[in-house]
Amino acid sequence: DIAYSAYEEAAQWMVDWLASVDTRKQNPGDFVYRWEPAAVDDGLGIGPQGAWWLSSMSATEGADFAEIRLESGGIAEASIVVVPGSPELLPPNQQTLSPALRESQGWQLEASQPLSGTVDVVLENVAALTLDLAAAGVAGRTDKRLTLASNAPVALTLSGLQDGLTVSAGLVTETVRDSQVTLQLPAGNSQVVSFSR
């Protein structure tokens, strides 16, 4: 609708931004993955497929939505600082017919934090997931440590690890075989998954 050009302007901004950065993010250190289990249709190929170092996820029974928040200290991510713009008065014209006040904000990228072996995971209504710790940049680190917050019991599979490694969380202890291990963890906040030889 030519009278309401906000969508067109937003789409053009995205095209211009992509042209300026020349590539999309290939392996982010932090991201959020969310889906609606009721919309999943395996016959049509609709449902959670995974992203970057996340795969094989499923939701708890009857959940309206499922969400996974991930942050890896093993992948450099620049800090983002929000920069408010100055409000701009837009006078009426042939398209808008009424005045408007445009407020905007931009962002600046600052230096990345030093790399670490920490992985933070926050789950809501998630029953299972797999994290590739090699792709997350922490599998080979001696300081690797995972913290988990989940509102439901979860089958957490960690892949990309060295065979024979002992992985523990609370009373659960498993040994890595074929480069992966699965931990059956209860619901709870601040659960720590540690790794030892």
Side-chain angles (χ1 to χ4, degrees):
D1 188 337
I2 196 166
Y4 300 97
S5 59
Y7 176 79
E8 183 180 343
E9 290 176 11
Q12 188 59 51
W13 177 86
M14 288 186 280
V15 168
D16 294 344
W17 173 80
L18 187 58
S20 71
V21 297
D22 197 34
T23 184
R24 66 183 178 86
K25 187 73 174 177
Q26 296 299 315
N27 193 30
D30 61 82
F31 61 96
V32 177
Y33 195 97
R34 182 182 170 110
W35 74 99
E36 294 178 9
V40 171
D41 186 327
D42 293 332
L44 295 175
I46 298 170
Q49 304 297 314
W52 297 290
W53 38 279
L54 166 67
S55 63
S56 304
M57 67 285 288
S58 64
T60 57
E61 191 68 33
D64 291 332
F65 72 93
E67 183 174 283
I68 302 169
R69 293 181 169 274
L70 299 168
E71 184 173 346
S72 171
I75 299 173
E77 285 285 355
S79 297
I80 298 173
V81 176
V82 175
V83 180
S86 298
E88 177 185 2
L89 178 63
L90 302 176
N93 60 37
Q94 291 179 335
Q95 292 178 346
T96 63
L97 304 178
S98 63
L101 182 64
R102 177 184 292 168
E103 294 185 0
S104 64
Q105 67 180 18
W107 62 78
Q108 292 178 346
L109 298 178
E110 294 193 345
S112 302
Q113 297 293 322
L115 294 179
S116 72
T118 61
V119 176
D120 295 321
V121 182
V122 179
L123 307 176
E124 194 165 352
N125 304 326
V126 176
L129 74 154
T130 297
L131 300 179
D132 182 344
L133 295 186
V138 299
R141 296 183 64 99
T142 57
D143 64 342
K144 63 182 158 287
R145 180 174 178 248
L146 187 144
T147 59
L148 172 73
S150 179
N151 71 339
V154 61
L156 174 64
T157 300
L158 305 173
S159 67
L161 296 168
Q162 190 175 41
D163 287 351
L165 196 65
T166 300
V167 183
S168 302
L171 301 175
V172 178
T173 300
E174 298 289 344
T175 302
V176 176
R177 290 183 181 83
D178 298 324
S179 301
Q180 69 177 26
V181 64
T182 299
L183 304 172
Q184 299 292 336
L185 300 175
N189 293 326
S190 303
Q191 298 181 69
V192 176
V193 178
S194 58
F195 303 83
S196 61
R197 258 288 150 214

